[in-house]
Amino acid sequence: MDRRTFVRAAGTAAALGALPRTAAGAPSRALSGYEPWLEVSAETLRANAREVGRLAGRRPVLAVVKNNAYGLGIARVGPALSAAPEVWGFGVVKPAEAHALLDARVTKPILLMGLASDDDAVDLARRGVRLAPFSNDAPRALTGIRQRAGVGTLPVHLYLDTGMGRLGLPYHRARGWMEEVAGAAGITVEGIFTALTEDDGFDAEQLTRFTALLEETRPGGVRPAYTHAASSHALFFRQDPGLTMVRPGLALFGAYPAGARERGLADLEPAFRLKAKVVRVERLRPGDSVSYGRNYVAERPVWVATLPVGHADGYPRKAVEGAEVLIGGRTYPVIGAVSASHAIVEIGDWPTVAVGDDAVLVGPDHPAVHPNTLAERAGISVYDVLMHLSAGLPGVMV
Ligand SMILES: *Cc1c(COP(=O)(O)O)cnc(C)c1O
């Protein structure tokens, strides 16, 4: 089987919920050729869901899988996380993401946490996707969408703005609106949610605004089954008493929000590896340089190796500011410059790596390549380490 066929077969098997393995047991061996690739572990995703569920006090989890499941591949991640009992459903931001989950045979509820055009909303409603209304005219608009979709009831999660200033209806004029939506024929307010600013001083105020509004509208018939505010950050840093659901993304993929790893509250593991094969091993003479701008000049004879993975694949340019790569159990510093499709590592006095060796640029295998370590060393957000992974990377479930 050639690599493309394998990757396709793996994708199909993953969509069906199976875990493809090669005869050798190590999927990376089956990937011939020198393109970088992504390995995603269904088992680790489910273990992280267990940890998140425990952190959340066993409340159901709305798994946020926007932006191609944070770079890991929505068609790979959806079915894998769907099998986790802790996961109630999925949160996405774009209609195409909801359709991708459905096309991957995900049957758990999906919430679109963004604005859909009327036509998109009708398509989504027909497929059972929950909308997150926040416009003034929602009571009327939702009725129109329900009728055009031809569905008996339209479950929605009301999106409230308690201070984020991004999406949601501003909380200070939401009361009558909430009651009106809840009272509209055929519309079920299944959930109500808000997004926290993750500002230590302000999150508590946002939660106070949110829960006060929930209390005030209860007598008027607004009785959602689910209320949610907590993203990964709040799981580690903020109590949200009384709310019945949590809504993390990052933690499910095994990375920690900034400052959370040190708290020791959960044992998450990166659920993916960014890998590439060594394509060149050479010895530099003193004075020889590496990559654009001659950022690195050898002071003594030294071996270097080239990996065919660069910033266009999602490996950060700023990795040269201290990141390391794992090859054959040892770590090697990234040097020179990360170009679009290549990165170069310093090997040392001896050629301890060979062309064709597997390299792990990001993954769970060593503290140096943990996504949070890479983010810290490169001086970037850990969200960028995941979210910038190219959707074009071949991927395989392991
Ligand atoms: C992205 C997102 C989340 C998840 O955030 P994490 O920090 O990745 O846990 C939750 N809610 C909304 C509205 C989001 O856009």
Side-chain angles (χ1 to χ4, degrees):
M1 202 190 289
D2 73 14
R3 177 181 168 177
R4 273 182 203 292
T5 320
F6 174 80
V7 169
R8 233 188 344 262
T12 311
L16 297 172
L19 304 182
R21 290 201 176 272
T22 63
S28 61
R29 301 265 155 67
L31 300 169
S32 58
Y34 287 99
E35 277 178 65
W37 74 98
L38 205 58
E39 291 178 2
V40 177
S41 166
E43 204 176 303
T44 308
L45 285 168
R46 289 194 291 266
N48 291 336
R50 267 199 302 283
E51 275 297 272
V52 162
R54 190 181 59 73
L55 263 185
R58 317 237 171 260
R59 286 174 290 169
V61 176
L62 183 71
V64 177
V65 292
K66 65 191 179 202
N67 190 42
N68 198 30
Y70 288 46
L72 274 62
I74 195 162
R76 287 187 279 271
V77 165
L81 274 180
S82 207
E86 295 81 5
V87 171
W88 175 84
F90 294 90
V92 297
V93 172
K94 295 175 181 161
E97 297 166 338
H99 290 298
L101 283 174
L102 291 162
D103 293 347
R105 302 206 175 93
V106 164
T107 54
K108 288 187 173 179
I110 300 168
L111 171 65
L112 181 83
M113 306 184 297
L115 184 65
S117 70
D118 280 0
D119 287 348
D120 279 339
V122 168
D123 287 344
L124 294 166
R126 277 200 187 112
R127 298 189 84 181
V129 174
R130 277 70 167 159
L131 304 174
F134 55 83
S135 61
N136 289 320
D137 70 345
R140 192 186 48 77
L142 290 170
T143 302
I145 288 162
R146 183 182 70 79
Q147 284 163 353
R148 273 183 65 198
V151 294
T153 57
L154 189 64
V156 300
H157 290 220
L158 303 181
Y159 201 162
L160 300 180
D161 179 5
T162 54
M164 180 72 155
R166 186 175 65 178
L167 293 182
L169 192 88
Y171 75 103
H172 48 82
R173 55 184 179 83
R175 186 175 171 168
W177 177 85
M178 291 165 70
E179 291 169 354
E180 220 183 313
V181 178
I187 310 299
T188 305
V189 177
E190 179 181 55
I192 304 185
F193 71 108
T194 192
L196 300 175
T197 54
E198 304 180 4
D199 174 288
D200 279 344
F202 191 53
D203 277 357
E205 169 63 18
Q206 285 189 270
L207 285 165
T208 302
R209 292 172 177 179
F210 187 61
T211 49
L213 200 47
L214 295 176
E215 285 307 312
E216 282 166 30
T217 52
R218 184 161 267 281
V222 186
R223 304 217 167 99
Y226 302 109
T227 51
H228 43 104
S231 62
S232 300
H233 179 271
L235 288 178
F236 288 92
F237 294 100
R238 177 68 49 201
Q239 298 291 319
D240 55 350
L243 304 192
T244 62
M245 186 176 263
V246 295
R247 203 179 63 233
L250 188 73
L252 293 167
F253 307 114
Y256 293 86
R261 188 157 53 146
E262 298 74 10
R263 308 204 76 190
L265 296 175
D267 188 13
L268 304 174
E269 183 176 318
F272 69 101
R273 288 184 185 86
L274 175 63
K275 298 181 74 172
K277 285 182 190 294
V278 174
V279 290
R280 180 186 189 256
V281 180
E282 279 297 341
R283 186 168 181 265
L284 301 182
R285 303 163 304 173
D288 285 347
S289 62
V290 151
S291 201
Y292 296 114
R294 305 195 74 211
N295 209 5
Y296 174 95
V297 179
E299 287 167 5
R300 56 188 170 87
V302 65
W303 289 87
V304 296
T306 303
L307 300 166
V309 55
H311 63 77
D313 301 299
Y315 192 61
R317 280 174 185 274
K318 292 181 78 185
V320 289
E321 294 181 14
E324 291 172 289
V325 169
L326 183 69
I327 309 172
R330 291 205 217 177
T331 59
Y332 300 99
V334 180
I335 56 168
V338 174
S339 53
S341 308
H342 294 97
I344 300 164
V345 292
E346 185 187 77
I347 300 301
D349 295 341
W350 306 100
T352 47
V353 310
V355 170
D357 283 358
D358 282 3
V360 180
L361 292 106
V362 190
D365 310 280
H366 189 282
V369 294
H370 190 287
N372 284 100
T373 310
L374 173 57
E376 282 156 24
R377 293 191 182 174
I380 61 175
S381 160
V382 69
Y383 287 87
D384 294 356
V385 173
L386 281 81
M387 296 258 189
H388 292 181
L389 291 167
S390 167
L393 286 167
V396 57
M397 295 300 288
V398 297

